[in-house]
PDB file of all heavy atoms in Angstrom:
ATOM      1  N   ARG A  10    -179.340 -49.900  28.929  1.00  0.00           N
ATOM      2  CA  ARG A  10    -180.432 -48.923  29.046  1.00  0.00           C
ATOM      3  C   ARG A  10    -181.516 -49.077  27.997  1.00  0.00           C
ATOM      4  O   ARG A  10    -182.634 -48.595  28.181  1.00  0.00           O
ATOM      5  CB  ARG A  10    -179.866 -47.507  28.870  1.00  0.00           C
ATOM      6  CG  ARG A  10    -178.686 -47.206  29.722  1.00  0.00           C
ATOM      7  CD  ARG A  10    -177.954 -46.009  29.142  1.00  0.00           C
ATOM      8  NE  ARG A  10    -176.801 -45.698  29.957  1.00  0.00           N
ATOM      9  CZ  ARG A  10    -175.706 -45.138  29.495  1.00  0.00           C
ATOM     10  NH1 ARG A  10    -175.611 -44.815  28.218  1.00  0.00           N
ATOM     11  NH2 ARG A  10    -174.711 -44.882  30.303  1.00  0.00           N
ATOM     12  N   MET A  11    -181.160 -49.639  26.848  1.00  0.00           N
ATOM     13  CA  MET A  11    -182.064 -49.582  25.704  1.00  0.00           C
ATOM     14  C   MET A  11    -183.324 -50.420  25.878  1.00  0.00           C
ATOM     15  O   MET A  11    -184.340 -50.171  25.245  1.00  0.00           O
ATOM     16  CB  MET A  11    -181.331 -50.042  24.438  1.00  0.00           C
ATOM     17  CG  MET A  11    -180.367 -49.017  23.890  1.00  0.00           C
ATOM     18  SD  MET A  11    -181.213 -47.605  23.129  1.00  0.00           S
ATOM     19  CE  MET A  11    -180.490 -46.265  24.052  1.00  0.00           C
ATOM     20  N   LYS A  14    -186.062 -54.945  23.919  1.00  0.00           N
ATOM     21  CA  LYS A  14    -186.523 -54.784  22.530  1.00  0.00           C
ATOM     22  C   LYS A  14    -186.225 -53.378  22.010  1.00  0.00           C
ATOM     23  O   LYS A  14    -186.924 -52.858  21.156  1.00  0.00           O
ATOM     24  CB  LYS A  14    -188.015 -55.101  22.437  1.00  0.00           C
ATOM     25  CG  LYS A  14    -188.341 -56.550  22.784  1.00  0.00           C
ATOM     26  CD  LYS A  14    -189.816 -56.846  22.670  1.00  0.00           C
ATOM     27  CE  LYS A  14    -190.104 -58.308  23.016  1.00  0.00           C
ATOM     28  NZ  LYS A  14    -191.567 -58.603  22.985  1.00  0.00           N
ATOM     29  N   ARG A  15    -185.187 -52.757  22.553  1.00  0.00           N
ATOM     30  CA  ARG A  15    -184.743 -51.410  22.156  1.00  0.00           C
ATOM     31  C   ARG A  15    -185.852 -50.364  22.340  1.00  0.00           C
ATOM     32  O   ARG A  15    -186.012 -49.444  21.548  1.00  0.00           O
ATOM     33  CB  ARG A  15    -184.239 -51.411  20.719  1.00  0.00           C
ATOM     34  CG  ARG A  15    -182.990 -52.242  20.490  1.00  0.00           C
ATOM     35  CD  ARG A  15    -182.547 -52.188  19.050  1.00  0.00           C
ATOM     36  NE  ARG A  15    -183.480 -52.890  18.188  1.00  0.00           N
ATOM     37  CZ  ARG A  15    -183.568 -52.730  16.877  1.00  0.00           C
ATOM     38  NH1 ARG A  15    -182.763 -51.880  16.269  1.00  0.00           N
ATOM     39  NH2 ARG A  15    -184.439 -53.410  16.168  1.00  0.00           N
ATOM     40  N   GLU A  16    -186.608 -50.526  23.427  1.00  0.00           N
ATOM     41  CA  GLU A  16    -187.724 -49.617  23.665  1.00  0.00           C
ATOM     42  C   GLU A  16    -187.276 -48.150  23.738  1.00  0.00           C
ATOM     43  O   GLU A  16    -187.948 -47.258  23.223  1.00  0.00           O
ATOM     44  CB  GLU A  16    -188.441 -50.004  24.967  1.00  0.00           C
ATOM     45  CG  GLU A  16    -189.190 -51.316  24.918  1.00  0.00           C
ATOM     46  CD  GLU A  16    -188.345 -52.529  25.296  1.00  0.00           C
ATOM     47  OE1 GLU A  16    -187.099 -52.432  25.263  1.00  0.00           O
ATOM     48  OE2 GLU A  16    -188.939 -53.574  25.616  1.00  0.00           O
ATOM     49  N   LEU A  17    -186.122 -47.909  24.378  1.00  0.00           N
ATOM     50  CA  LEU A  17    -185.659 -46.526  24.516  1.00  0.00           C
ATOM     51  C   LEU A  17    -185.248 -45.956  23.166  1.00  0.00           C
ATOM     52  O   LEU A  17    -185.506 -44.785  22.877  1.00  0.00           O
ATOM     53  CB  LEU A  17    -184.489 -46.449  25.504  1.00  0.00           C
ATOM     54  CG  LEU A  17    -183.960 -45.033  25.768  1.00  0.00           C
ATOM     55  CD1 LEU A  17    -185.033 -44.129  26.344  1.00  0.00           C
ATOM     56  CD2 LEU A  17    -182.739 -45.068  26.686  1.00  0.00           C
ATOM     57  N   LYS A  18    -184.614 -46.752  22.332  1.00  0.00           N
ATOM     58  CA  LYS A  18    -184.219 -46.292  20.995  1.00  0.00           C
ATOM     59  C   LYS A  18    -185.429 -45.742  20.246  1.00  0.00           C
ATOM     60  O   LYS A  18    -185.395 -44.623  19.704  1.00  0.00           O
ATOM     61  CB  LYS A  18    -183.607 -47.449  20.207  1.00  0.00           C
ATOM     62  CG  LYS A  18    -183.408 -47.166  18.715  1.00  0.00           C
ATOM     63  CD  LYS A  18    -183.056 -48.426  17.957  1.00  0.00           C
ATOM     64  CE  LYS A  18    -183.097 -48.196  16.452  1.00  0.00           C
ATOM     65  NZ  LYS A  18    -182.099 -47.233  15.973  1.00  0.00           N
ATOM     66  N   PHE A  19    -186.493 -46.532  20.189  1.00  0.00           N
ATOM     67  CA  PHE A  19    -187.659 -46.124  19.411  1.00  0.00           C
ATOM     68  C   PHE A  19    -188.367 -44.928  20.049  1.00  0.00           C
ATOM     69  O   PHE A  19    -188.889 -44.058  19.343  1.00  0.00           O
ATOM     70  CB  PHE A  19    -188.607 -47.308  19.243  1.00  0.00           C
ATOM     71  CG  PHE A  19    -187.974 -48.459  18.498  1.00  0.00           C
ATOM     72  CD1 PHE A  19    -187.849 -49.711  19.090  1.00  0.00           C
ATOM     73  CD2 PHE A  19    -187.454 -48.270  17.228  1.00  0.00           C
ATOM     74  CE1 PHE A  19    -187.244 -50.758  18.416  1.00  0.00           C
ATOM     75  CE2 PHE A  19    -186.836 -49.326  16.543  1.00  0.00           C
ATOM     76  CZ  PHE A  19    -186.735 -50.567  17.133  1.00  0.00           C
ATOM     77  N   ALA A  20    -188.352 -44.861  21.383  1.00  0.00           N
ATOM     78  CA  ALA A  20    -188.960 -43.718  22.063  1.00  0.00           C
ATOM     79  C   ALA A  20    -188.173 -42.436  21.783  1.00  0.00           C
ATOM     80  O   ALA A  20    -188.757 -41.368  21.555  1.00  0.00           O
ATOM     81  CB  ALA A  20    -189.029 -43.979  23.566  1.00  0.00           C
ATOM     82  N   LEU A  21    -186.835 -42.533  21.798  1.00  0.00           N
ATOM     83  CA  LEU A  21    -186.001 -41.374  21.497  1.00  0.00           C
ATOM     84  C   LEU A  21    -186.235 -40.881  20.075  1.00  0.00           C
ATOM     85  O   LEU A  21    -186.434 -39.679  19.834  1.00  0.00           O
ATOM     86  CB  LEU A  21    -184.520 -41.729  21.678  1.00  0.00           C
ATOM     87  CG  LEU A  21    -183.988 -41.784  23.104  1.00  0.00           C
ATOM     88  CD1 LEU A  21    -182.627 -42.476  23.137  1.00  0.00           C
ATOM     89  CD2 LEU A  21    -183.875 -40.382  23.706  1.00  0.00           C
ATOM     90  N   GLU A  22    -186.227 -41.797  19.122  1.00  0.00           N
ATOM     91  CA  GLU A  22    -186.364 -41.398  17.725  1.00  0.00           C
ATOM     92  C   GLU A  22    -187.748 -40.837  17.438  1.00  0.00           C
ATOM     93  O   GLU A  22    -187.894 -39.896  16.648  1.00  0.00           O
ATOM     94  CB  GLU A  22    -186.024 -42.584  16.819  1.00  0.00           C
ATOM     95  CG  GLU A  22    -184.530 -42.919  16.884  1.00  0.00           C
ATOM     96  CD  GLU A  22    -184.136 -44.183  16.153  1.00  0.00           C
ATOM     97  OE1 GLU A  22    -185.047 -44.900  15.655  1.00  0.00           O
ATOM     98  OE2 GLU A  22    -182.931 -44.483  16.086  1.00  0.00           O
ATOM     99  N   SER A  23    -188.748 -41.368  18.092  1.00  0.00           N
ATOM    100  CA  SER A  23    -190.102 -40.825  17.959  1.00  0.00           C
ATOM    101  C   SER A  23    -190.163 -39.396  18.507  1.00  0.00           C
ATOM    102  O   SER A  23    -190.756 -38.500  17.888  1.00  0.00           O
ATOM    103  CB  SER A  23    -191.102 -41.723  18.702  1.00  0.00           C
ATOM    104  OG  SER A  23    -192.390 -41.165  18.657  1.00  0.00           O
ATOM    105  N   TRP A  25    -187.548 -37.286  18.849  1.00  0.00           N
ATOM    106  CA  TRP A  25    -186.744 -36.403  17.986  1.00  0.00           C
ATOM    107  C   TRP A  25    -187.481 -36.050  16.700  1.00  0.00           C
ATOM    108  O   TRP A  25    -187.318 -34.961  16.161  1.00  0.00           O
ATOM    109  CB  TRP A  25    -185.408 -37.073  17.650  1.00  0.00           C
ATOM    110  CG  TRP A  25    -184.492 -37.221  18.824  1.00  0.00           C
ATOM    111  CD1 TRP A  25    -184.496 -36.476  19.971  1.00  0.00           C
ATOM    112  CD2 TRP A  25    -183.444 -38.186  18.989  1.00  0.00           C
ATOM    113  NE1 TRP A  25    -183.521 -36.914  20.837  1.00  0.00           N
ATOM    114  CE2 TRP A  25    -182.854 -37.953  20.259  1.00  0.00           C
ATOM    115  CE3 TRP A  25    -182.946 -39.207  18.193  1.00  0.00           C
ATOM    116  CZ2 TRP A  25    -181.790 -38.720  20.737  1.00  0.00           C
ATOM    117  CZ3 TRP A  25    -181.888 -39.972  18.666  1.00  0.00           C
ATOM    118  CH2 TRP A  25    -181.322 -39.721  19.929  1.00  0.00           C
ATOM    119  N   VAL A  37    -191.620 -44.121  28.989  1.00  0.00           N
ATOM    120  CA  VAL A  37    -190.872 -45.302  28.539  1.00  0.00           C
ATOM    121  C   VAL A  37    -189.636 -45.494  29.406  1.00  0.00           C
ATOM    122  O   VAL A  37    -189.319 -46.611  29.843  1.00  0.00           O
ATOM    123  CB  VAL A  37    -190.476 -45.158  27.052  1.00  0.00           C
ATOM    124  CG1 VAL A  37    -189.501 -46.265  26.642  1.00  0.00           C
ATOM    125  CG2 VAL A  37    -191.710 -45.191  26.161  1.00  0.00           C
ATOM    126  N   LEU A  41    -188.665 -48.675  31.932  1.00  0.00           N
ATOM    127  CA  LEU A  41    -187.430 -49.447  31.777  1.00  0.00           C
ATOM    128  C   LEU A  41    -186.642 -49.485  33.078  1.00  0.00           C
ATOM    129  O   LEU A  41    -186.161 -50.543  33.492  1.00  0.00           O
ATOM    130  CB  LEU A  41    -186.575 -48.839  30.663  1.00  0.00           C
ATOM    131  CG  LEU A  41    -187.001 -49.154  29.229  1.00  0.00           C
ATOM    132  CD1 LEU A  41    -186.192 -48.316  28.238  1.00  0.00           C
ATOM    133  CD2 LEU A  41    -186.810 -50.639  28.921  1.00  0.00           C
ATOM    134  N   ARG A 447    -185.676 -51.185   4.964  1.00  0.00           N
ATOM    135  CA  ARG A 447    -185.635 -52.083   6.129  1.00  0.00           C
ATOM    136  C   ARG A 447    -186.735 -53.146   6.022  1.00  0.00           C
ATOM    137  O   ARG A 447    -186.547 -54.301   6.408  1.00  0.00           O
ATOM    138  CB  ARG A 447    -185.777 -51.279   7.417  1.00  0.00           C
ATOM    139  CG  ARG A 447    -184.582 -50.363   7.695  1.00  0.00           C
ATOM    140  CD  ARG A 447    -184.798 -49.570   8.992  1.00  0.00           C
ATOM    141  NE  ARG A 447    -183.815 -48.521   9.147  1.00  0.00           N
ATOM    142  CZ  ARG A 447    -182.590 -48.681   9.641  1.00  0.00           C
ATOM    143  NH1 ARG A 447    -182.213 -49.885  10.012  1.00  0.00           N
ATOM    144  NH2 ARG A 447    -181.758 -47.676   9.744  1.00  0.00           N
ATOM    145  N   GLY A 519    -176.241 -42.646  21.832  1.00  0.00           N
ATOM    146  CA  GLY A 519    -177.605 -42.141  21.679  1.00  0.00           C
ATOM    147  C   GLY A 519    -178.601 -43.263  21.472  1.00  0.00           C
ATOM    148  O   GLY A 519    -178.703 -44.190  22.272  1.00  0.00           O
ATOM    149  N   SER A 520    -179.334 -43.197  20.357  1.00  0.00           N
ATOM    150  CA  SER A 520    -180.301 -44.248  20.040  1.00  0.00           C
ATOM    151  C   SER A 520    -179.703 -45.310  19.119  1.00  0.00           C
ATOM    152  O   SER A 520    -180.380 -46.262  18.745  1.00  0.00           O
ATOM    153  CB  SER A 520    -181.531 -43.639  19.356  1.00  0.00           C
ATOM    154  OG  SER A 520    -181.180 -43.142  18.068  1.00  0.00           O
ATOM    155  N   ARG A 521    -178.454 -45.136  18.755  1.00  0.00           N
ATOM    156  CA  ARG A 521    -177.800 -46.052  17.814  1.00  0.00           C
ATOM    157  C   ARG A 521    -177.398 -47.343  18.533  1.00  0.00           C
ATOM    158  O   ARG A 521    -176.638 -47.321  19.505  1.00  0.00           O
ATOM    159  CB  ARG A 521    -176.574 -45.376  17.213  1.00  0.00           C
ATOM    160  CG  ARG A 521    -175.659 -46.296  16.422  1.00  0.00           C
ATOM    161  CD  ARG A 521    -176.152 -46.523  15.015  1.00  0.00           C
ATOM    162  NE  ARG A 521    -175.128 -47.225  14.233  1.00  0.00           N
ATOM    163  CZ  ARG A 521    -175.375 -48.256  13.449  1.00  0.00           C
ATOM    164  NH1 ARG A 521    -176.601 -48.713  13.334  1.00  0.00           N
ATOM    165  NH2 ARG A 521    -174.416 -48.819  12.756  1.00  0.00           N
ATOM    166  N   CYS A 522    -177.948 -48.456  18.048  1.00  0.00           N
ATOM    167  CA  CYS A 522    -177.628 -49.763  18.610  1.00  0.00           C
ATOM    168  C   CYS A 522    -176.983 -50.633  17.538  1.00  0.00           C
ATOM    169  O   CYS A 522    -177.301 -50.499  16.346  1.00  0.00           O
ATOM    170  CB  CYS A 522    -178.890 -50.462  19.113  1.00  0.00           C
ATOM    171  SG  CYS A 522    -179.720 -49.587  20.444  1.00  0.00           S
TER     172      CYS A 522
END
Side-chain angles (χ1 to χ4, degrees):
R10 309 161 180 151
M11 285 288 124
K14 296 181 180 177
R15 295 180 291 161
E16 291 89 341
L17 182 60
K18 169 191 170 64
F19 299 120
L21 282 166
E22 291 173 354
S23 176
W25 292 336
V37 170
L41 282 171
R447 293 179 191 277
S520 68
R521 169 82 171 134
C522 298

